[in-house]
Amino acid sequence: MTTTPFEAFDAAAIHEGNKALGFDHDAIAEQTHELLGRMTLAQKINEIRGLQPEPIEGLYYAGGDDELGIAAWKMVDGPRGARTGKATAFPVAIARAASFDVDLERRVGKAIGLETLAKGGNVLLAPCINLLRHPGWGRAQESYSEDTHLTGAMAVAFVSGAQNHVLTSPKHLALNNLENTRFDLTSDVDARTLHELYLPHFKRCVVEAQAASVMSAYNRVNGVYCGEHPELLTDTLRRRWDFKGFVESDWFLGVRSTSESIKAGLNIEMPFGKFFSDKKIAAAIEAGELTDEDIDTAAYWSLYQKVAWSIEEGSVAGDSGSIAVVESDAHLDLAREAARKSFVLLKNSSDVLPIDRRSTRRIAVVGDLADTVNLGDRGSSMVTSTKVITPLAGLQAEAGDCDLRFFATDADFAELGEFDVTIVIAGLTYLDEGEFIPSAQAESDGDDLARGGDRDSLNLPTDQRDLIERAAAASSRCVVVLQGGSAIVVSDWLASVDGLLMSWYGGCQGGAALAQVIFGDADPGGRLPVSIPRSEKDLMEWDTQALAVPHDLLHGYRWLDAHQSTAEFCFGYGLSYSAFELNDLQVQRNGDGFVVTVSVANTGSVRATAVPQLYVSVQNSQVMRVPTELKGFASLELDADETRLVQFQVADEELCFFDEAVDDFRLEAADYVFRAGQNLVELPLLRHWRFDGSAWSETRPG
Ligand code: GLC
């Protein structure tokens, strides 16, 4: 047994190869100023806007000047793969967050960055890191979690992985967490909630992973459009975080003005210059609303990144990639690994899973989704792969001598009782949830352009519930495999099934990964990155047509805890094919923070994935505090009977609250309870520490 502790977040390994962490900023600044000094006003204006409304071979151009030898930005979505031509469709981001595996996310980011480069792109418009304030948000699938700590860790892993090859653009700054009304919505928030809950994951991307750009959001924050929000784009990004990247708008309606946007700190209007047109900028300068210096500042940050990354036609930092990497075996293997590590086993009565092929003769696979390509929404993050393995194809390929039969949703289920086990594939599709592009919705008469928008209900659609009820009633044993991009309320039919596996939108290899887990060739490694309530009534009010939404410190598990409401399945929850025990929690001071260790033992009979989690509760605080918050997690595979020491680092600044009186974070004299376990509600190991305002000391409970 290895004695070296497993580092929960190995920063050196996660950030390895991120080109932005090695830049010589003095040299870049000097070169950028020199270049800017040689440019005419027209050339500078050309640098601060996209080229045209439509992409060119899937790539959105911005800037570029042959005479000056300045290459264009070539931007491409998105969080689950390169959205141009065929590419590896990875599991959606929330699925990868369910793996709680930052190394895996780094590798996925790196692979998507490589495919982006190979396709001629140089800016990857990802990751999407808006919090799931409510799980009904249409683009929840595209983001990571309800929790800022999990979101931040996954996001920096993705950014550093992708920035091995191309620039990234964490999005959408900020509070873009309702879809249908995103163009008009105002997300209202006080400074403490903004800085303590909705910005930390953006800050990590900018400060820790040096994200090369950020995309501003469509919505308003406190009544001001994000594309013209000085507090977000200048005071927060530049003054507080020393951001050296550029800010591009979201597409079309992400810009609402000319001089207000540029003066607020927006650097590039995408996808083309409507407000940043020659005519409008000239009129703004003429009217004294804009100065040449304002244009210089906007152009500077875009040019700064072109200099930093040595952007040339078709290459980034001298590398142009190779088209052979696109949908390569290595990337398909990675997509399959990500899918199986994302699956969350929620119910497993009588160990109905895994299915033993030696003792199981007949398996029924039920539901149209089993034989459907269901990779997620059809918005800007959509990726099309050459080959997609559906659940049915995956199960058929691995069924061995089992007699596996498929039953469509409208089939007669009378003979299901003759099968040893029924596997129902049910859930949601892009018709139920996803990015909502009204023009496409209005124009689309076929189903290939539908956008689901936000979900009014967290329940399954009636036809899917009926499918499950009918199949379960006719079966001797019934397992439901759920597909979807967020929390789905299952309480009204959970008792009628024996097994439940959340498989999210599992990407082009999802069906192969599902077979690995169903037949026990791999353990379902996932845990919930979003709480699943017993009823949507247990969550805050959710109006998908709202035009003003108040944001506070309570949502997701924070809300449920504060309202003493028990989730059906809590944040961080997930079963395993094995069993684990955590012991010997140790919390020691280490510089400006803590090093926390816990022993994790696989007490079961098979190799499996453990996901130890660390939470902190602040007691005797002078301000309102949420009951407990995630401050650390790890994902590690352990053999049967293997024990490993897991080590977390918790910086003091992660224990601070945002004190509006000093407009900054502050470490409060209070009691801090470190709690370790396997999910939000199973935290048996405690350690108590007190900060008296100047020194820390370990205390005893009570
Ligand atoms: C979309 C999305 C954004 C995407 C952009 C380009 O409307 O909001 O996430 O990157 O347009 O497709």
Side-chain angles (χ1 to χ4, degrees):
M1 173 189 118
T2 174
T3 53
T4 51
F6 179 90
E7 191 65 46
F9 188 92
D10 182 344
I14 292 298
H15 299 308
E16 194 270 326
N18 175 348
K19 291 186 167 74
L21 299 179
F23 287 155
D24 175 347
H25 289 289
D26 292 340
I28 295 165
E30 189 179 336
Q31 290 176 56
T32 308
H33 281 299
E34 189 278 331
L35 174 59
L36 203 60
R38 287 189 279 123
M39 294 170 74
T40 64
L41 179 61
Q43 288 169 327
K44 295 171 190 172
I45 293 171
N46 182 55
E47 277 304 308
I48 66 171
R49 60 193 181 202
L51 175 66
Q52 58 182 45
E54 295 311 317
I56 300 169
E57 292 177 355
L59 306 176
Y60 290 97
Y61 287 46
D65 185 303
D66 293 341
E67 187 189 319
L68 289 165
I70 298 172
W73 289 127
K74 294 183 181 178
M75 304 183 185
V76 63
D77 293 300
R80 68 178 192 251
R83 181 197 173 200
T84 168
K86 299 292 186 185
T88 305
F90 285 91
V92 292
I94 196 168
R96 294 165 357 226
S99 75
F100 282 72
D101 186 335
V102 286
D103 175 64
L104 173 68
E105 188 61 5
R106 179 188 62 81
R107 290 183 283 130
V108 169
K110 192 171 187 302
I112 297 175
L114 199 51
E115 293 199 15
T116 298
L117 178 67
K119 287 168 174 286
N122 48 38
V123 183
L124 174 61
L125 300 170
C128 174
I129 59 173
N130 297 110
L131 294 186
L132 280 60
R133 174 178 172 276
H134 189 285
W137 176 39
R139 293 178 78 175
Q141 63 189 272
E142 203 176 328
S143 202
Y144 288 116
S145 172
E146 67 188 43
D147 179 80
T148 179
H149 181 86
L150 177 58
T151 298
M154 300 311 272
V156 295
F158 184 97
V159 166
S160 277
Q163 291 197 165
N164 272 250
H165 302 294
V166 293
L167 290 79
T168 63
S169 187
K171 63 189 183 182
H172 312 76
L173 188 71
L175 287 86
N176 179 163
N177 30 51
L178 195 154
E179 186 56 21
N180 294 355
T181 58
R182 61 180 173 162
F183 301 124
D184 306 304
L185 167 77
T186 176
S187 296
D188 298 328
V189 67
D190 60 44
R192 181 182 175 199
T193 304
L194 177 67
H195 288 285
E196 210 172 295
L197 185 55
Y198 286 93
L199 290 184
H201 36 289
F202 280 97
K203 180 178 180 182
R204 284 193 72 176
C205 288
V206 165
V207 175
E208 187 178 328
Q210 292 287 301
S213 71
V214 163
M215 183 187 293
S216 55
Y218 284 122
N219 56 278
R220 290 175 286 159
V221 170
N222 297 330
V224 177
Y225 282 108
C226 289
E228 52 192 42
H229 206 292
E231 181 190 351
L232 290 175
L233 305 186
T234 297
D235 185 60
T236 298
L237 280 177
R238 305 290 179 195
R239 181 179 69 83
R240 293 182 193 269
W241 300 348
D242 191 24
F243 180 51
K244 294 187 178 356
F246 61 84
V247 181
E248 84 273 1
S249 73
D250 204 337
W251 270 227
F252 301 107
L253 288 173
V255 182
R256 301 296 182 132
S257 63
T258 301
S259 47
E260 292 87 343
S261 303
I262 292 171
K263 282 182 155 331
L266 184 66
N267 305 139
I268 300 179
E269 176 180 18
M270 290 304 290
F272 76 109
K274 179 184 174 198
F275 286 96
F276 292 10
S277 66
D278 293 343
K279 186 163 178 267
K280 287 192 171 163
I281 288 181
I285 291 173
E286 179 67 27
E289 295 163 0
L290 269 182
T291 64
D292 288 9
E293 288 70 37
D294 294 326
I295 305 297
D296 282 5
T297 302
Y300 176 83
W301 290 114
S302 175
L303 292 166
Y304 188 99
Q305 291 299 322
K306 285 186 179 178
V307 169
W309 287 82
S310 307
I311 298 296
E312 293 177 5
E313 192 53 40
S315 85
V316 176
D319 186 1
S320 55
S322 154
I323 206 67
V325 303
V326 179
E327 298 189 283
S328 62
D329 289 347
H331 287 185
L332 297 179
D333 291 348
L334 179 59
R336 185 165 56 252
E337 176 191 355
R340 66 175 171 77
K341 287 184 174 179
S342 76
F343 295 155
V344 185
L345 183 59
L346 296 172
K347 181 175 182 182
N348 196 20
S349 301
S350 319
D351 291 338
V352 62
L353 289 177
I355 293 174
D356 183 343
R357 281 166 288 209
R358 293 161 305 178
S359 58
T360 305
R361 288 180 312 105
R362 307 190 71 202
I363 302 171
V365 179
V366 171
D368 293 347
L369 284 181
D371 198 22
T372 302
V373 173
N374 191 20
L375 302 181
D377 79 2
R378 301 217 171 160
S380 61
S381 65
M382 179 179 176
V383 176
T384 48
S385 294
T386 304
K387 182 165 176 270
V388 177
I389 301 176
T390 63
L392 180 62
L395 292 167
Q396 283 169 331
E398 296 299 324
D401 297 335
C402 298
D403 167 18
L404 188 144
R405 294 257 312 277
F406 170 61
F407 292 77
T409 297
D410 58 3
D412 179 344
F413 291 168
E415 60 175 306
L416 286 184
E418 297 164 22
F419 289 77
D420 298 302
V421 62
T422 296
I423 301 172
V424 181
I425 311 292
L428 307 174
T429 72
Y430 67 92
L431 294 166
D432 304 304
E433 59 179 352
E435 184 170 2
F436 185 72
I437 303 177
S439 56
Q441 184 74 21
E443 289 145 24
S444 74
D445 47 19
D447 73 0
D448 60 345
L449 275 174
R451 266 64 170 166
D454 300 307
R455 284 185 292 154
D456 286 311
S457 166
L458 299 185
N459 291 308
L460 281 176
T462 308
D463 68 312
Q464 295 297 299
R465 295 214 302 268
D466 292 348
L467 165 68
I468 292 169
E469 299 282 11
R470 282 197 303 127
S475 302
S476 53
R477 297 195 301 167
C478 181
V479 172
V480 170
V481 176
L482 266 189
Q483 297 183 334
S486 182
I488 296 173
V489 169
V490 301
S491 306
D492 51 351
W493 48 265
L494 182 62
S496 58
V497 302
D498 303 288
L500 176 57
L501 186 77
M502 182 64 195
S503 68
W504 314 102
Y505 297 117
C508 63
Q509 291 287 309
L514 179 65
Q516 287 181 305
V517 167
I518 291 289
F519 293 118
D521 299 330
D523 160 83
R527 305 293 185 272
L528 289 178
V530 58
S531 311
I532 297 181
R534 287 178 172 158
S535 161
E536 52 209 36
K537 296 184 181 67
D538 295 339
L539 296 178
M540 82 280 285
E541 183 200 348
W542 173 243
D543 173 3
T544 61
Q545 299 308 319
L547 291 174
V549 177
H551 290 60
D552 60 25
L553 288 170
L554 299 180
H555 71 251
Y557 70 79
R558 293 165 167 80
W559 170 280
L560 292 168
D561 277 358
H563 291 81
Q564 288 83 43
S565 184
T566 305
E568 184 68 63
F569 298 111
C570 71
F571 180 87
Y573 180 83
L575 298 173
S576 170
Y577 288 158
S578 191
F580 300 98
E581 245 180 59
L582 273 64
N583 289 296
D584 192 19
L585 172 63
Q586 299 292 334
V587 178
Q588 308 293 335
R589 284 297 293 170
N590 177 34
D592 291 340
F594 290 91
V595 60
V596 181
T597 58
V598 66
S599 167
V600 183
N602 179 344
T603 56
S605 58
V606 294
R607 179 176 176 80
T609 302
V611 182
Q613 298 160 41
L614 178 69
Y615 295 77
V616 174
S617 302
V618 184
Q619 297 175 349
N620 303 319
S621 170
Q622 299 305 303
V623 297
M624 177 271 186
R625 295 282 188 149
V626 295
T628 196
E629 295 181 278
L630 180 74
K631 294 298 179 186
F633 61 87
S635 170
L636 65 158
E637 295 197 15
L638 296 174
D639 287 328
D641 300 328
E642 183 182 2
T643 298
R644 190 84 190 268
L645 204 59
V646 177
Q647 183 165 284
F648 306 91
Q649 311 285 342
V650 181
D652 287 351
E653 67 176 284
E654 292 178 78
L655 303 176
C656 292
F657 78 102
F658 188 84
D659 185 350
E660 293 186 2
V662 296
D663 188 34
D664 205 349
F665 285 90
R666 183 163 68 83
L667 186 62
E668 184 187 16
D671 291 323
Y672 297 78
V673 184
F674 292 79
R675 311 164 72 202
Q678 299 192 59
N679 59 63
L680 178 75
V681 297
E682 293 174 58
L683 299 170
L685 307 179
L686 305 181
R687 285 286 182 179
H688 294 252
W689 279 77
R690 175 166 293 158
F691 181 64
D692 65 8
S694 58
W696 284 95
S697 56
E698 186 160 15
T699 59
R700 289 284 166 269

